Amino acid sequence: MKFTPSEIKGNVNISPVSPVKVFFELVIKILGLLLAAYILLGFAVDYIAPRVSIHTERKLGKLLSAEFEKEARTPVESRLQQIVDELVKKSQSLTPFTYKVYVEESKKINAFALPGGSIVVFSALLKKADSKNELAMVLAHELGHFYHRDHLRGLGRGLVFLLISSVLFGGDSSVNKVINNALTNAQMSFSRAQEKAADLYALDLLNKTYGGVAGAVDFFEKMSRKEKWWPVFYIFSSHPYPKSRVMALEEAIKIKGYPVGQKMPNLAIDGVQ
């Protein structure tokens, strides 16, 4: 019998599909699952946030604001606190927290709300405000986030983002790092709709408190003049394009018929370097 070797048409040890292709398909599937999880968890956060009890929020706020507590209040913080107290007194819709202002040294022009009634204002923002009215608008805006409970939604989505990031990249799991990162994400996670709603709330509160909305758009106008990015770059931004924000505020003032009133000097920045 004569042996005739046959050609081997396949090899079980060699995949007919490129391993690079398999890798990228796997990565895409994993990212798809994580994106779906982020969206679903985000919806869950939006559902749960408005239902968090005041008692629970107070306890959470005490934890998150601990790093901003000082032995004594600075004169600047006391003056800002007076503005907040004036605004809160005229508001009949805010959650009954003890609203407290903290000033944090930073070159960033920003302010943000923490659960439980704390507002953190960066020192650079104070230097940009030329009147008490401008500061009142910024603080009233943050109170608007409290009214809509946006800060809880932002913090919740920040924690969801951290959870997914840790799955993807790992990293330090210490409690302090998680909290700090959560705060950073919470500051930046408000949607344009939430920012607009907070602006409209602030306008109404300014009018109730001071009998007019003088200076309400001044701060945002200054920010718009320094804006170097084109509007297209704000497509994926949580904050609206500064010039569009000013236009929306001016339009709301006309529609509501708010009186202008008078501007007041900014006494809160004395001693701020």
Side-chain angles (χ1 to χ4, degrees), residues 251-270:
E251 183 69 16
I253 291 172
K254 290 180 181 179
I255 293 174
K256 293 286 187 178
Y258 291 129
V260 176
Q262 295 182 341
K263 293 183 183 180
M264 296 166 280
N266 181 9
L267 301 178
I269 61 173
D270 292 351

PDB file of all heavy atoms in Angstrom, residues 251-270:
ATOM      1  N   GLU A 251     -32.841  88.129  28.285  1.00  0.00           N
ATOM      2  CA  GLU A 251     -34.165  87.814  27.760  1.00  0.00           C
ATOM      3  C   GLU A 251     -35.141  87.512  28.896  1.00  0.00           C
ATOM      4  O   GLU A 251     -36.302  87.962  28.872  1.00  0.00           O
ATOM      5  CB  GLU A 251     -34.075  86.613  26.811  1.00  0.00           C
ATOM      6  CG  GLU A 251     -35.389  86.225  26.150  1.00  0.00           C
ATOM      7  CD  GLU A 251     -35.872  87.250  25.152  1.00  0.00           C
ATOM      8  OE1 GLU A 251     -35.074  88.118  24.730  1.00  0.00           O
ATOM      9  OE2 GLU A 251     -37.065  87.190  24.795  1.00  0.00           O
ATOM     10  N   ALA A 252     -34.682  86.767  29.898  1.00  0.00           N
ATOM     11  CA  ALA A 252     -35.536  86.443  31.044  1.00  0.00           C
ATOM     12  C   ALA A 252     -35.920  87.698  31.819  1.00  0.00           C
ATOM     13  O   ALA A 252     -37.059  87.823  32.287  1.00  0.00           O
ATOM     14  CB  ALA A 252     -34.817  85.453  31.963  1.00  0.00           C
ATOM     15  N   ILE A 253     -34.983  88.636  31.961  1.00  0.00           N
ATOM     16  CA  ILE A 253     -35.266  89.887  32.660  1.00  0.00           C
ATOM     17  C   ILE A 253     -36.366  90.671  31.939  1.00  0.00           C
ATOM     18  O   ILE A 253     -37.278  91.224  32.571  1.00  0.00           O
ATOM     19  CB  ILE A 253     -33.978  90.733  32.786  1.00  0.00           C
ATOM     20  CG1 ILE A 253     -32.998  90.057  33.751  1.00  0.00           C
ATOM     21  CG2 ILE A 253     -34.299  92.148  33.264  1.00  0.00           C
ATOM     22  CD1 ILE A 253     -31.628  90.700  33.792  1.00  0.00           C
ATOM     23  N   LYS A 254     -36.299  90.684  30.599  1.00  0.00           N
ATOM     24  CA  LYS A 254     -37.318  91.396  29.818  1.00  0.00           C
ATOM     25  C   LYS A 254     -38.673  90.712  29.925  1.00  0.00           C
ATOM     26  O   LYS A 254     -39.703  91.364  30.124  1.00  0.00           O
ATOM     27  CB  LYS A 254     -36.887  91.457  28.348  1.00  0.00           C
ATOM     28  CG  LYS A 254     -35.706  92.373  28.082  1.00  0.00           C
ATOM     29  CD  LYS A 254     -35.351  92.379  26.604  1.00  0.00           C
ATOM     30  CE  LYS A 254     -34.144  93.270  26.334  1.00  0.00           C
ATOM     31  NZ  LYS A 254     -33.780  93.244  24.878  1.00  0.00           N
ATOM     32  N   ILE A 255     -38.677  89.388  29.798  1.00  0.00           N
ATOM     33  CA  ILE A 255     -39.937  88.649  29.843  1.00  0.00           C
ATOM     34  C   ILE A 255     -40.616  88.785  31.201  1.00  0.00           C
ATOM     35  O   ILE A 255     -41.842  88.986  31.295  1.00  0.00           O
ATOM     36  CB  ILE A 255     -39.695  87.161  29.507  1.00  0.00           C
ATOM     37  CG1 ILE A 255     -39.253  87.004  28.041  1.00  0.00           C
ATOM     38  CG2 ILE A 255     -40.950  86.331  29.777  1.00  0.00           C
ATOM     39  CD1 ILE A 255     -38.860  85.599  27.669  1.00  0.00           C
ATOM     40  N   LYS A 256     -39.837  88.683  32.267  1.00  0.00           N
ATOM     41  CA  LYS A 256     -40.393  88.766  33.621  1.00  0.00           C
ATOM     42  C   LYS A 256     -40.694  90.207  34.047  1.00  0.00           C
ATOM     43  O   LYS A 256     -41.425  90.436  35.011  1.00  0.00           O
ATOM     44  CB  LYS A 256     -39.425  88.136  34.629  1.00  0.00           C
ATOM     45  CG  LYS A 256     -39.243  86.630  34.472  1.00  0.00           C
ATOM     46  CD  LYS A 256     -40.467  85.881  34.974  1.00  0.00           C
ATOM     47  CE  LYS A 256     -40.235  84.391  34.972  1.00  0.00           C
ATOM     48  NZ  LYS A 256     -41.408  83.647  35.511  1.00  0.00           N
ATOM     49  N   GLY A 257     -40.096  91.151  33.330  1.00  0.00           N
ATOM     50  CA  GLY A 257     -40.304  92.548  33.682  1.00  0.00           C
ATOM     51  C   GLY A 257     -39.658  92.950  34.995  1.00  0.00           C
ATOM     52  O   GLY A 257     -40.177  93.817  35.714  1.00  0.00           O
ATOM     53  N   TYR A 258     -38.528  92.347  35.329  1.00  0.00           N
ATOM     54  CA  TYR A 258     -37.845  92.678  36.577  1.00  0.00           C
ATOM     55  C   TYR A 258     -37.324  94.116  36.524  1.00  0.00           C
ATOM     56  O   TYR A 258     -36.719  94.530  35.530  1.00  0.00           O
ATOM     57  CB  TYR A 258     -36.659  91.750  36.807  1.00  0.00           C
ATOM     58  CG  TYR A 258     -37.020  90.317  37.107  1.00  0.00           C
ATOM     59  CD1 TYR A 258     -36.428  89.271  36.392  1.00  0.00           C
ATOM     60  CD2 TYR A 258     -37.918  89.989  38.107  1.00  0.00           C
ATOM     61  CE1 TYR A 258     -36.736  87.946  36.663  1.00  0.00           C
ATOM     62  CE2 TYR A 258     -38.234  88.671  38.397  1.00  0.00           C
ATOM     63  CZ  TYR A 258     -37.646  87.659  37.672  1.00  0.00           C
ATOM     64  OH  TYR A 258     -37.958  86.360  37.943  1.00  0.00           O
ATOM     65  N   PRO A 259     -37.499  94.882  37.591  1.00  0.00           N
ATOM     66  CA  PRO A 259     -36.881  96.214  37.639  1.00  0.00           C
ATOM     67  C   PRO A 259     -35.373  96.075  37.804  1.00  0.00           C
ATOM     68  O   PRO A 259     -34.883  95.058  38.295  1.00  0.00           O
ATOM     69  CB  PRO A 259     -37.512  96.858  38.881  1.00  0.00           C
ATOM     70  CG  PRO A 259     -37.915  95.697  39.744  1.00  0.00           C
ATOM     71  CD  PRO A 259     -38.300  94.598  38.791  1.00  0.00           C
ATOM     72  N   VAL A 260     -34.647  97.111  37.382  1.00  0.00           N
ATOM     73  CA  VAL A 260     -33.189  97.050  37.455  1.00  0.00           C
ATOM     74  C   VAL A 260     -32.705  97.306  38.877  1.00  0.00           C
ATOM     75  O   VAL A 260     -31.952  96.516  39.441  1.00  0.00           O
ATOM     76  CB  VAL A 260     -32.545  98.052  36.480  1.00  0.00           C
ATOM     77  CG1 VAL A 260     -31.020  98.033  36.646  1.00  0.00           C
ATOM     78  CG2 VAL A 260     -32.920  97.707  35.046  1.00  0.00           C
ATOM     79  N   GLY A 261     -33.119  98.397  39.466  1.00  0.00           N
ATOM     80  CA  GLY A 261     -32.659  98.711  40.815  1.00  0.00           C
ATOM     81  C   GLY A 261     -31.259  99.313  40.812  1.00  0.00           C
ATOM     82  O   GLY A 261     -30.773  99.785  39.784  1.00  0.00           O
ATOM     83  N   GLN A 262     -30.603  99.269  41.944  1.00  0.00           N
ATOM     84  CA  GLN A 262     -29.292  99.890  42.090  1.00  0.00           C
ATOM     85  C   GLN A 262     -28.216  98.859  42.430  1.00  0.00           C
ATOM     86  O   GLN A 262     -28.482  97.864  43.093  1.00  0.00           O
ATOM     87  CB  GLN A 262     -29.331 100.956  43.195  1.00  0.00           C
ATOM     88  CG  GLN A 262     -30.237 102.142  42.885  1.00  0.00           C
ATOM     89  CD  GLN A 262     -30.194 103.191  43.986  1.00  0.00           C
ATOM     90  OE1 GLN A 262     -29.778 102.903  45.115  1.00  0.00           O
ATOM     91  NE2 GLN A 262     -30.624 104.405  43.670  1.00  0.00           N
ATOM     92  N   LYS A 263     -27.017  99.169  41.966  1.00  0.00           N
ATOM     93  CA  LYS A 263     -25.874  98.334  42.314  1.00  0.00           C
ATOM     94  C   LYS A 263     -25.326  98.756  43.673  1.00  0.00           C
ATOM     95  O   LYS A 263     -25.369  99.932  44.038  1.00  0.00           O
ATOM     96  CB  LYS A 263     -24.770  98.448  41.261  1.00  0.00           C
ATOM     97  CG  LYS A 263     -25.143  97.871  39.912  1.00  0.00           C
ATOM     98  CD  LYS A 263     -23.965  97.967  38.959  1.00  0.00           C
ATOM     99  CE  LYS A 263     -24.326  97.458  37.568  1.00  0.00           C
ATOM    100  NZ  LYS A 263     -23.196  97.552  36.627  1.00  0.00           N
ATOM    101  N   MET A 264     -24.804  97.779  44.397  1.00  0.00           N
ATOM    102  CA  MET A 264     -24.230  98.038  45.715  1.00  0.00           C
ATOM    103  C   MET A 264     -22.736  97.736  45.679  1.00  0.00           C
ATOM    104  O   MET A 264     -22.307  96.807  44.985  1.00  0.00           O
ATOM    105  CB  MET A 264     -24.922  97.155  46.765  1.00  0.00           C
ATOM    106  CG  MET A 264     -26.401  97.468  46.934  1.00  0.00           C
ATOM    107  SD  MET A 264     -27.286  96.165  47.856  1.00  0.00           S
ATOM    108  CE  MET A 264     -27.531  94.947  46.548  1.00  0.00           C
ATOM    109  N   PRO A 265     -21.925  98.479  46.401  1.00  0.00           N
ATOM    110  CA  PRO A 265     -20.470  98.218  46.396  1.00  0.00           C
ATOM    111  C   PRO A 265     -20.136  96.849  46.941  1.00  0.00           C
ATOM    112  O   PRO A 265     -20.842  96.330  47.812  1.00  0.00           O
ATOM    113  CB  PRO A 265     -19.901  99.342  47.284  1.00  0.00           C
ATOM    114  CG  PRO A 265     -21.058  99.744  48.152  1.00  0.00           C
ATOM    115  CD  PRO A 265     -22.280  99.574  47.312  1.00  0.00           C
ATOM    116  N   ASN A 266     -19.072  96.283  46.438  1.00  0.00           N
ATOM    117  CA  ASN A 266     -18.631  94.966  46.880  1.00  0.00           C
ATOM    118  C   ASN A 266     -17.674  95.107  48.053  1.00  0.00           C
ATOM    119  O   ASN A 266     -16.483  95.357  47.882  1.00  0.00           O
ATOM    120  CB  ASN A 266     -17.949  94.207  45.734  1.00  0.00           C
ATOM    121  CG  ASN A 266     -17.501  92.823  46.142  1.00  0.00           C
ATOM    122  OD1 ASN A 266     -17.823  92.352  47.218  1.00  0.00           O
ATOM    123  ND2 ASN A 266     -16.775  92.156  45.276  1.00  0.00           N
ATOM    124  N   LEU A 267     -18.199  94.961  49.257  1.00  0.00           N
ATOM    125  CA  LEU A 267     -17.377  95.085  50.467  1.00  0.00           C
ATOM    126  C   LEU A 267     -16.744  93.767  50.858  1.00  0.00           C
ATOM    127  O   LEU A 267     -15.909  93.722  51.755  1.00  0.00           O
ATOM    128  CB  LEU A 267     -18.237  95.601  51.622  1.00  0.00           C
ATOM    129  CG  LEU A 267     -18.918  96.958  51.401  1.00  0.00           C
ATOM    130  CD1 LEU A 267     -19.782  97.311  52.603  1.00  0.00           C
ATOM    131  CD2 LEU A 267     -17.898  98.046  51.141  1.00  0.00           C
ATOM    132  N   ALA A 268     -17.129  92.685  50.180  1.00  0.00           N
ATOM    133  CA  ALA A 268     -16.660  91.351  50.577  1.00  0.00           C
ATOM    134  C   ALA A 268     -15.219  91.097  50.166  1.00  0.00           C
ATOM    135  O   ALA A 268     -14.593  90.182  50.683  1.00  0.00           O
ATOM    136  CB  ALA A 268     -17.562  90.289  49.981  1.00  0.00           C
ATOM    137  N   ILE A 269     -14.678  91.879  49.221  1.00  0.00           N
ATOM    138  CA  ILE A 269     -13.336  91.568  48.728  1.00  0.00           C
ATOM    139  C   ILE A 269     -12.243  92.341  49.449  1.00  0.00           C
ATOM    140  O   ILE A 269     -11.070  92.230  49.109  1.00  0.00           O
ATOM    141  CB  ILE A 269     -13.219  91.843  47.210  1.00  0.00           C
ATOM    142  CG1 ILE A 269     -13.474  93.322  46.911  1.00  0.00           C
ATOM    143  CG2 ILE A 269     -14.166  90.970  46.422  1.00  0.00           C
ATOM    144  CD1 ILE A 269     -13.199  93.698  45.457  1.00  0.00           C
ATOM    145  N   ASP A 270     -12.597  93.151  50.431  1.00  0.00           N
ATOM    146  CA  ASP A 270     -11.562  93.848  51.191  1.00  0.00           C
ATOM    147  C   ASP A 270     -10.598  92.851  51.808  1.00  0.00           C
ATOM    148  O   ASP A 270     -11.004  91.921  52.498  1.00  0.00           O
ATOM    149  CB  ASP A 270     -12.194  94.684  52.310  1.00  0.00           C
ATOM    150  CG  ASP A 270     -13.006  95.856  51.762  1.00  0.00           C
ATOM    151  OD1 ASP A 270     -12.920  96.093  50.561  1.00  0.00           O
ATOM    152  OD2 ASP A 270     -13.712  96.499  52.565  1.00  0.00           O
TER     153      ASP A 270
END
